[in-house]
């Protein structure tokens, strides 16, 4: 038996699927970036708070 080549419908379907995967990948990447920004922001604010707390405790010990 002789096999036919890929039809125009199959090519269009493949391009549509690739476009959907690319779009979904972009959405997932953006979500991950937002989550990382939130986590990094929380960690930075915790670091700032702990650093300020340390400074104030040090100043209390030094100043009368």
């Amino acid at each position: 038996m002789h096999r036919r080549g890929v039809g125009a419908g199959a090519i269009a379907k493949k391009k549509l699927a690739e476009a959907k995967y690319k779009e979904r990948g972009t959405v997932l990447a953006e979500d991950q970036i937002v989550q990382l920004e939130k986590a990094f922001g929380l960690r930075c604010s915790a670091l700032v708070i702990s650093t300020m707390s340390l400074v104030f405790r040090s100043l209390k010990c030094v100043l009368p």
Side-chain angles (χ1 to χ4, degrees):
M1 286 177 50
H2 187 292
R3 240 180 109 88
R4 293 185 186 188
V6 178
I11 293 172
K13 186 177 179 182
K14 183 179 178 184
K15 285 184 181 183
L16 179 64
E18 288 175 355
K20 284 183 181 179
Y21 281 117
K22 186 175 181 180
E23 180 181 345
R24 183 65 181 152
T26 303
V27 169
L28 289 175
E30 289 173 351
D31 288 345
Q32 288 178 347
I33 289 172
V34 168
Q35 289 175 354
L36 286 172
E37 286 175 344
K38 285 181 182 177
F40 186 69
L42 292 175
R43 288 187 187 136
C44 284
S45 64
L47 177 65
V48 168
I49 290 170
S50 64
T51 305
M52 289 174 59
S53 175
L54 178 66
V55 169
F56 287 131
R57 280 187 275 146
S58 298
L59 286 175
K60 282 184 181 178
C61 294
V62 174
L63 297 175

